[in-house]
Amino acid sequence: MMVSSLVELTVDLAALRHNYLLLRRRLSPGVKLLAVVKADAYGHGLVPAARTLAAAGAEYLGVASLEEGLALRQAGLALPILLLMGIVPPEAQAAVAADLEVVLYRQDVAQALEEAARSLGKQARAHLKVDTGMGRLGLRPPEIAPFLDSLRKSPQLEILGLISHLAMADVADKTYTRKQLQEFLALLATARGQGWELPLSHIANSAALVDLPEAHFGMVRPGISLYGSPPAPGLPWGAALQPVMSFATQVLQMKSLPPGSSISYGCTYTTRDWCVLAVLPVGYSNGYPRLLSNRGEVLIRGRRAPIRGRVCMNLTMVEVSHLPDVAPGERVTLMGADGGQRLTADELAAWAETISYDIYCSLGSANPQRFVGA
Ligand SMILES: Cc1ncc(COP(=O)(O)O)c(C=O)c1O
């Protein structure tokens, strides 16, 4: 028996390829591109996304965890893979055995990598993380030189470069970003002065890739732009990116409610006139944010229909009084294009007081992904 899902999360791998090629064209020859596919490729499906990006020409893949790195190796992906969150010491053996490169910021991890490399008769590879102003993972700048010094006794641990992350690359005022860049450049100069080659240093996320060529160094690390969302509003050529994920459902039930009727938990919406309502089989258990209650919109027949009342665990109601004869089974676009209209992840994110990244991860992790355009 065929079991069909009432929700449809579609990942368009042709759009992913398109976005990759668009970004690639912004890079000088020789600059590598590390495609960030962490968190199940921002909810788009780790292995299919990684395969598509590798086939398109990405030189590196970036994941969050050892588990994701191993999953890519098991799927047969042979290109360099960087574990962006680094590892803890017990993971060193598996990381080195699978030729996974590691973001490094802990002395005990450096030792574990050296020991694993020795026992396996291999070279361990790491990118040394410096916190130039993100206030997140990484060594503070004054700690870099002593850390590098301590690594001179670890001949089987190769440091490929410095890595840092930008906190404000998505805003128009680049003052803070330039300060981070200056710090990064100064550290690179010092380390090179001390004899470290550091052939592959990198700091640029999508916003810096698009907006700040001087931040490209040897490699860039885009994530969100690959998935089709402009890294910041108003950035040049953001509109040429194609959204990769779309989300749709169908009408489960139709009903007409008289004036003065309440809709959904808490009776937060009361009809003023007769209201034609479509009940949709989607809710926050599908990663559809509850904050869309009384705020969000969906597309039916290429027209917008507003959400009435609270989004429930499995159900959401939308008003279709302006659309004649909507029937059960009719297609409803929750994110994506229908007719000339489009609902973007950014639009959903604005209603839900969050960012497109969060929308993609929530929808992608809660629903089966269907891949097209391979
Ligand atoms: C270390 C690191 N590099 C690169 C990226 C990609 O950033 P973006 O998705 O904004 O391009 C991320 C994403 O969070 C990250 O954590």
Side-chain angles (χ1 to χ4, degrees):
M1 192 179 68
M2 262 286 281
V3 180
S4 71
S5 175
L6 295 180
V7 293
E8 216 178 83
L9 186 109
T10 305
V11 175
D12 182 352
L13 298 172
L16 185 61
R17 201 174 307 115
H18 165 92
N19 296 334
Y20 167 84
L21 293 171
L22 205 69
L23 297 182
R24 168 61 71 190
R25 270 184 244 131
R26 314 297 299 191
L27 301 179
S28 303
V31 175
K32 294 185 174 172
L33 189 148
L34 178 151
V36 180
V37 293
K38 66 176 184 171
D40 198 32
Y42 293 32
H44 292 72
L46 175 66
V47 170
R51 282 203 177 117
T52 303
L53 292 160
E59 287 91 352
Y60 256 82
L61 297 169
V63 293
S65 62
L66 173 65
E67 202 184 358
E68 287 184 323
L70 293 175
L72 290 177
R73 285 287 183 251
Q74 265 154 29
L77 284 137
L79 66 174
I81 295 172
L82 180 58
L83 307 185
L84 290 166
M85 291 206 307
I87 56 167
V88 292
E91 296 177 322
Q93 192 84 9
V96 176
D99 289 316
L100 298 171
E101 298 177 15
V102 168
V103 163
L104 180 63
Y105 46 87
R106 267 170 64 167
Q107 202 64 254
D108 58 346
V109 172
Q111 270 157 25
L113 285 169
E114 172 70 13
E115 279 160 26
R118 275 195 204 157
S119 75
L120 291 162
K122 297 182 80 139
Q123 198 69 12
R125 292 193 181 82
H127 303 229
L128 192 59
K129 181 123 189 186
V130 53
D131 176 8
T132 53
M134 177 73 183
R136 204 170 70 171
L137 269 188
L139 295 159
R140 294 199 45 256
E143 296 172 313
I144 290 291
F147 196 98
L148 281 171
D149 271 344
S150 74
L151 294 181
R152 291 193 198 276
K153 61 179 189 310
S154 303
Q156 282 179 249
L157 172 57
E158 188 181 350
I159 302 299
L160 289 176
L162 295 186
I163 167 174
S164 195
H165 196 46
L166 298 170
M168 299 263 285
D170 56 336
V171 300
D173 181 353
K174 294 289 187 282
T175 313
Y176 194 83
T177 304
R178 287 191 202 288
K179 251 177 59 191
Q180 285 196 264
L181 276 180
Q182 269 165 18
E183 185 84 75
F184 194 64
L185 276 165
L187 284 164
L188 269 175
T190 309
R192 288 192 174 129
Q194 290 167 345
W196 294 90
E197 233 177 87
L198 305 177
L200 195 56
S201 292
H202 42 105
I203 193 168
N205 56 4
S206 291
L209 188 163
V210 172
D211 218 17
L212 216 62
E214 63 268 42
H216 289 182
F217 295 95
M219 184 157 80
V220 293
R221 304 191 309 266
I224 197 70
S225 50
L226 288 170
Y227 305 109
S229 288
L235 277 183
W237 59 273
L241 295 166
Q242 292 176 4
V244 176
M245 183 188 289
S246 56
F247 190 46
T249 187
Q250 55 177 269
V251 174
L252 187 64
Q253 190 200 350
M254 289 300 302
K255 61 173 38 169
S256 288
L257 294 177
S261 303
S262 293
I263 299 172
S264 195
Y265 288 119
C267 302
T268 59
Y269 188 87
T270 304
T271 57
R272 254 187 254 142
D273 302 308
W274 275 91
C275 169
V276 184
L277 206 65
V279 183
L280 311 180
V282 65
Y284 58 80
S285 70
N286 301 97
Y288 196 61
R290 190 166 174 275
L291 275 170
L292 298 188
S293 302
N294 288 312
R295 286 188 190 174
E297 295 172 346
V298 304
L299 296 176
I300 301 177
R301 299 181 194 161
R303 310 247 331 252
R304 286 173 180 251
I307 294 175
R308 299 298 192 211
R310 288 204 178 132
V311 171
C312 307
M313 190 181 291
N314 298 99
L315 295 164
T316 296
M317 279 60 73
V318 295
E319 179 161 3
V320 291
S321 303
H322 56 305
L323 300 173
D325 304 322
V326 174
E330 267 203 61
R331 186 174 177 78
V332 179
T333 301
L334 303 155
M335 187 173 80
D338 180 14
Q341 283 278 346
R342 179 179 277 287
L343 289 173
T344 63
D346 279 312
E347 201 169 356
L348 267 72
W351 288 323
E353 297 171 31
T354 184
I355 51 176
S356 59
Y357 303 62
D358 185 14
I359 297 288
Y360 289 138
C361 288
S362 299
L363 294 178
S365 61
N367 301 285
Q369 297 139 335
R370 186 176 73 98
F371 298 95
V372 299

